[in-house]
Amino acid sequence: MTRLPGPFQVVPYDRSRHADGPWRVVSAVFEEYGFPFAENDYDADVAWPDEHYDGRTGWFSVAEDTEGGVVGCVGLTDEGGGEYELHRLYVLSEARGHNLGERLCTWVIEAAREKGAERVVLFSDVHFAHAHRLYERVGFRANRFRYAPDPWRSREWGFIMEFPKDGTN
């Protein structure tokens, strides 16, 4: 595998520029781990981020290379009651090693704080141990286990980051 050299930037998703880039990123990572991935209602958010992350209750960003190609992605949704959820944090294997996962997490944390979040939650397949270490490094803590609402009933760890009312973290 040839590593991409960077630099990379995190920008809001734009259908006219990024097209099916998020779909290709998530599909490639699923293939890397031997997970099934197919177009269905559960995965429609990465096929059509602009429809599922509308800019009012959901936001989606991508990491792009110098040519504008999508090499990573992440989403954020307002779940109500001060809770926001991180979705779809994925980085292509050839773009790893440039802190893109951390930069995408930081984008989510900063966006949630700006929107007045009390906490951010996320769920991650039990096989993504490297991602779990990243989540803990940026301040999330593991707090539960669940079977995902996906067609495969994947096993997932849940993580949470809470923002104290006084604004410290």
Side-chain angles (χ1 to χ4, degrees):
M1 165 190 43
T2 303
R3 294 246 182 248
L4 295 174
F8 303 100
Q9 61 180 352
V10 175
V11 298
Y13 173 80
D14 177 346
R15 168 121 344 243
S16 66
R17 288 180 51 213
H18 303 120
D20 68 346
W23 176 270
R24 287 183 286 106
V25 167
V26 176
S27 177
V29 173
F30 273 47
E31 184 176 318
E32 176 185 348
Y33 281 85
F35 295 166
F37 190 74
E39 193 165 347
N40 59 52
D41 288 343
Y42 184 76
D43 297 316
D45 66 314
V46 291
W48 300 99
D50 48 338
E51 293 179 12
H52 293 267
Y53 301 90
D54 62 11
R56 291 183 322 278
T57 59
W59 304 267
F60 200 82
S61 282
V62 297
E64 61 180 22
D65 62 19
T66 56
E67 312 290 311
V70 177
V71 298
C73 61
V74 71
L76 175 68
T77 55
D78 181 347
E79 300 297 315
E83 184 167 289
Y84 286 72
E85 185 171 345
L86 180 155
H87 300 273
R88 303 297 190 167
L89 177 63
Y90 294 98
V91 174
L92 291 176
S93 61
E94 58 269 23
R96 293 182 194 142
H98 296 277
N99 293 323
L100 285 178
E102 186 168 331
R103 289 173 57 197
L104 290 163
C105 272
T106 299
W107 176 84
V108 163
I109 294 164
E110 289 173 359
R113 279 189 170 142
E114 286 172 10
K115 293 166 189 348
E118 294 176 19
R119 70 197 147 282
V120 177
V121 299
L122 68 91
F123 297 92
S124 179
D125 190 283
V126 297
H127 292 93
F128 294 151
H130 186 74
H132 303 164
R133 288 189 297 276
L134 163 67
Y135 299 139
E136 290 174 339
R137 189 170 65 246
V138 300
F140 286 91
R141 64 178 169 76
N143 73 328
R144 63 178 283 209
F145 172 85
R146 78 172 188 179
Y147 288 96
D150 64 23
W152 310 279
R153 304 261 308 134
S154 303
R155 297 173 305 140
E156 296 181 320
W157 289 115
F159 293 81
I160 189 168
M161 176 184 287
E162 296 177 284
F163 303 122
K165 299 266 193 237
D166 65 6
T168 62
N169 188 19

